[in-house]
Amino acid sequence: MTNRDEQPLRTDPAEYAAAEFELQSTGQADYGNCVPSRLMRVLFILCGVLLLVFALLLIVWAHASALIVVGLLCALVIAFTVYMELCRRLFAFDGGGLMGAMHQMVVDNLDWDGRGRLLDIGCGAAALTARCAMTFPDGEFTGIDNWGATRSRAKEQCEANARAEGITAPMSFVEGDAAHLDFPDGSFDAAVSNFVFHEVRSEPDKRALVREALRVVRPGGAFSFQDLFAQPRLYGDMTAFVQELRAEGVSDIEYIPHTENLVGAPSWVRTPWMIRNAGILHGHR
């Protein structure tokens, strides 16, 4: 394992776009995809239904206006389905690897010596948690997520993924709400999060979620959070927000805007409904 201090921070977009990252997955873990397979199944079924309706209209010689409307709707749904499938393949950890590259940005911007406890807020299937554990093998790792009704199965999947990656560091996974983390102040030596805060419905104030995440990091502890920070509707003026956090005692904080550009994401995925306006907040508490 390469020492963390010897790994230079990638600053060239081409490095993120084409790099064969040092920490490759075994290929046996199942981390899912930010484009859910359930959504793709619905879209494929909808495409089939619309094509069938269009074919029936042709058979019965339906009015031209009906054919045009259904034909246009069918073309739009097919085009959207193809687009989402391309996005799914691009984001896939065992495909295009774009989400893995985004995770690597979070890790690269976490200035932590790897000793102590790390919290992954919104761990999902533990992809980022596992990447942190492979980067900092001497640490102890906790993943928290609001899995809801799938809690038991999701936790088992996280544990199975850790085993599949051959991770030996202590790891635990708990159900929880990012808006109200059930940990005392300063419980962790480091914290990470990736595209989670904007999804939390229990707290409309996204800045409050950042503050809650920082609360559980000990003074001097490291953090690296990636979210849609460059979206004013969610976070407002980020320069002002960073200044507020400094005034509140965050000793070292830096904001990196538009990280989707740094990983070389193609223009067709840098859209408001995908990863446009991403950014990283990182530093020390």
Side-chain angles (χ1 to χ4, degrees):
M1 178 67 66
T2 303
N3 187 284
R4 180 72 176 94
D5 295 336
E6 297 174 356
Q7 296 179 4
L9 177 64
R10 298 176 179 88
T11 56
D12 185 344
E15 292 179 337
Y16 274 107
E20 289 292 335
F21 293 116
E22 294 88 348
L23 300 171
Q24 292 295 331
S25 170
T26 61
Q28 299 174 351
D30 179 11
Y31 295 126
N33 195 297
C34 61
V35 180
S37 57
R38 181 171 52 185
L39 170 63
M40 296 311 304
R41 285 195 298 270
V42 170
L43 287 174
F44 285 129
I45 291 171
L46 184 57
C47 285
V49 170
L50 287 172
L51 285 171
L52 179 60
V53 170
F54 186 71
L56 290 174
L57 289 175
L58 283 174
I59 292 172
V60 301
W61 293 97
H63 194 277
S65 59
L67 283 171
I68 292 172
V69 170
V70 174
L72 287 175
L73 181 60
C74 188
L76 287 172
V77 172
I78 290 174
F80 182 69
T81 301
V82 170
Y83 170 78
M84 292 304 294
E85 179 62 22
L86 289 173
C87 289
R88 178 176 172 80
R89 294 184 183 188
L90 180 65
F91 283 116
F93 291 94
D94 58 352
L98 180 58
M99 190 52 66
M102 302 297 282
H103 283 182
Q104 190 64 41
M105 281 207 71
V106 174
V107 175
D108 281 352
N109 284 282
L110 182 68
D111 186 17
W112 183 43
D113 62 8
R115 292 189 289 271
R117 303 176 65 205
L118 177 144
L119 176 67
D120 179 8
I121 302 168
C123 64
L128 179 56
T129 324
R131 188 173 290 261
C132 289
M134 289 187 284
T135 305
F136 307 102
D138 295 327
E140 178 182 342
F141 303 87
T142 299
I144 186 170
D145 206 310
N146 186 11
W147 296 296
T150 63
R151 175 178 55 196
S152 178
R153 185 169 69 251
K155 182 178 178 181
E156 290 175 358
Q157 183 180 7
C158 289
E159 294 169 346
N161 285 338
R163 289 193 299 270
E165 299 289 20
I167 294 170
T168 58
M171 299 186 76
S172 60
F173 302 95
V174 296
E175 171 89 2
D177 183 355
H180 307 284
L181 296 171
D182 191 19
F183 304 105
D185 296 358
S187 298
F188 294 90
D189 302 281
V192 295
S193 185
N194 188 69
F195 292 124
V196 171
F197 299 145
H198 73 280
E199 296 279 3
V200 178
R201 298 180 180 179
S202 58
E203 177 52 79
D205 182 355
K206 303 311 172 186
R207 290 187 173 192
L209 292 167
V210 175
R211 289 185 167 97
E212 176 65 2
L214 290 171
R215 179 187 65 79
V216 300
V217 179
R218 66 166 177 80
F223 62 89
S224 182
F225 306 140
Q226 184 163 223
D227 199 41
L228 301 178
F229 289 124
Q231 194 168 116
R233 178 179 60 85
L234 294 174
Y235 289 97
D237 184 342
M238 283 300 295
T239 300
F241 184 37
V242 168
Q243 290 174 347
E244 289 177 14
L245 292 174
R246 285 174 178 155
E248 293 168 10
V250 180
S251 61
D252 170 33
I253 184 169
E254 181 183 352
Y255 170 53
I256 304 173
H258 298 293
T259 48
E260 71 273 17
N261 297 332
L262 295 178
V263 295
S267 58
W268 51 269
V269 82
R270 287 185 275 115
T271 60
W273 53 88
M274 282 297 172
I275 59 170
R276 185 177 177 182
N277 293 326
I280 284 181
L281 275 176
H282 70 110
H284 297 91
R285 182 70 177 85

